[in-house]
Amino acid sequence: QMNSGYSMRAIANLENFISEHPGPESEQARFLLAECHYNLQEFDKALVEYMAYIQTYPEGAWIEMAKFRFVSLRETKGK
């Protein structure tokens, strides 16, 4: 489990990077942002970020993991 203070700083840094670099160079940052929310158990935010990754980078390096996490979280929320 990630340290929450560390994760909150990481989230802020990743969000800044994504807003300053909206193109392909932010692919990894977008995925890591979703992962940070997931690790903090902020599942609604994680769902939003995984969906953003899937929509923005359908051929991305982390697409399979993003889809897996997204589907898993959706199924968990549905129960």
Side-chain angles (χ1 to χ4, degrees):
Q1 175 111 10
M2 288 184 159
N3 175 288
S4 61
Y6 172 82
S7 296
M8 296 307 293
R9 282 195 304 279
I11 287 169
N13 289 336
L14 290 165
E15 287 174 340
N16 288 339
F17 184 87
I18 291 165
S19 67
E20 292 170 9
H21 305 88
E25 62 270 21
S26 67
E27 177 188 348
Q28 185 175 13
R30 173 72 68 187
F31 180 75
L32 291 174
L33 179 58
E35 290 284 284
C36 283
H37 286 301
Y38 182 87
N39 287 325
L40 289 171
Q41 299 183 353
E42 297 174 345
F43 297 132
D44 288 339
K45 291 179 181 178
L47 270 171
V48 169
E49 295 302 335
Y50 286 123
M51 177 53 74
Y53 179 87
I54 292 164
Q55 290 177 335
T56 307
Y57 306 105
E59 306 293 322
W62 298 276
I63 191 68
E64 294 305 319
M65 179 57 86
K67 287 179 178 178
F68 174 78
R69 293 263 210 237
F70 181 81
V71 170
S72 298
L73 287 172
R74 288 270 311 262
E75 288 174 354
T76 301
K77 281 181 64 81
K79 291 180 181 174

